[in-house]
Amino acid sequence: MDLGIAGKWALVCGASKGLGFGCAQALVREGVNVLIVARGAEVLEAAAAKLIADGARPAAASVQFVAADITTPAGRAAVFAVRKDFDIVVTNAGGPPPGDFRDWDRDAWIKAVDANMLTPIELIKATVDGMAARGFGRIVNITSSAVKAPIDILGLSNGARSGLTGFVAGVSRSKLAGQGVTINNLLPGSFETDRLKVTMSGAAQKSGQALDVVMDARRKTIPARRFGTPEEFGAICAFLCSTHASYMTGQNVLADGGAYSGTF
């Protein structure tokens, strides 16, 4: 299927590895020009080199990168100094650490809200008007399946990402929807990423079990009987960014192998 987005420009955050890289890879393979962002310069540069060397990348699709902390004003300024206008924005920031809510002070909460709620809002604010003026725009926020099925040790993430979800529910249905701009949230369940290992390590410590035991137990709770891959997550993201998804906005798209058992 031709997704109809070749030649567009995309900003992909947290793209040095994991789900962000999966999204960048899928977009590049569709002929999209990408600017990838992450904090670690060395890992980010290696990710950019991998995208450039990808045999499935059309020669016309360019890859740029900026090593910056997108959750800070300075980091966002560094990105927009390289390029101001984007047709596609994939927001993504590392989730806050797991733990017991009794141990989190105000600073921990503010940091979580800054990274996982306010940063996506700032990126939306900075780009949607240009998208609307051009008649095409796609924003995909990588949030978490915990928005639908909260995980007790991920309270910081549950709270901050739920706040973003509420905001998107409103702004996605504003006049932007009639100007060709869609805003959706993509909710990953258990994918093979460093984030999963951190979360599972926290669960292992809490339960006193070995990490591999906890990981195997999690797999068995997933109807698909496996963890997802960044590549298949990226493919979903690319579709949401396509011309074929122009009638989808304000949605929370859950990718979890069937783990969420609710009807709605």
Side-chain angles (χ1 to χ4, degrees), residues 112-166:
V113 170
D114 266 341
N116 300 121
M117 178 182 173
L118 298 182
T119 291
I121 291 174
E122 288 294 334
L123 293 172
I124 292 170
K125 183 171 68 173
T127 57
V128 289
D129 290 335
M131 292 176 178
R134 294 187 297 275
F136 179 92
R138 299 288 184 268
I139 292 175
V140 177
N141 303 298
I142 299 178
T143 62
S144 171
S145 62
V147 171
K148 286 184 69 69
I151 300 170
D152 62 344
I153 61 172
L154 296 181
L156 290 171
S157 178
N158 297 340
R161 296 190 196 279
S162 294
L164 174 64
T165 303

Side-chain angles (χ1 to χ4, degrees), residues 11 13 35 37-39 66-83 119 123:
L11 169 64
C13 304
L35 174 59
V37 184
R39 288 174 294 180
V66 175
D69 184 351
I70 200 68
T71 68
T72 67
R76 292 189 290 274
V79 168
F80 290 119
V82 173
R83 184 174 185 86
T119 291
L123 293 172

Side-chain angles (χ1 to χ4, degrees), residues 233-252:
F233 185 86
I236 300 170
C237 178
F239 175 76
L240 289 175
C241 296
S242 75
T243 57
H244 307 295
S246 61
Y247 208 52
M248 291 179 65
T249 194
Q251 301 305 302
N252 294 290

Side-chain angles (χ1 to χ4, degrees), residues 9 20 27 74-75 110 120 122 127 134 149 173 185 237-238 250 262:
W9 270 95
L27 290 170
I110 294 300
E122 288 294 334
T127 57
R134 294 187 297 275
R173 294 172 172 86
N185 303 316
C237 178

Side-chain angles (χ1 to χ4, degrees), residues 6 10 15-16 20 23 35 56 71 105 128 161 166 171 195 199 207 231 256 258:
S16 61
C23 293
L35 174 59
T71 68
D105 58 15
V128 289
R161 296 190 196 279
V171 73
R195 171 67 172 172
T199 302
S207 66
E231 291 78 11
D256 70 348

Side-chain angles (χ1 to χ4, degrees), residues 28-49:
V28 164
R29 289 176 174 178
E30 291 298 324
V32 176
N33 305 302
V34 300
L35 174 59
I36 60 175
V37 184
R39 288 174 294 180
E42 186 175 343
V43 178
L44 182 64
E45 186 172 357

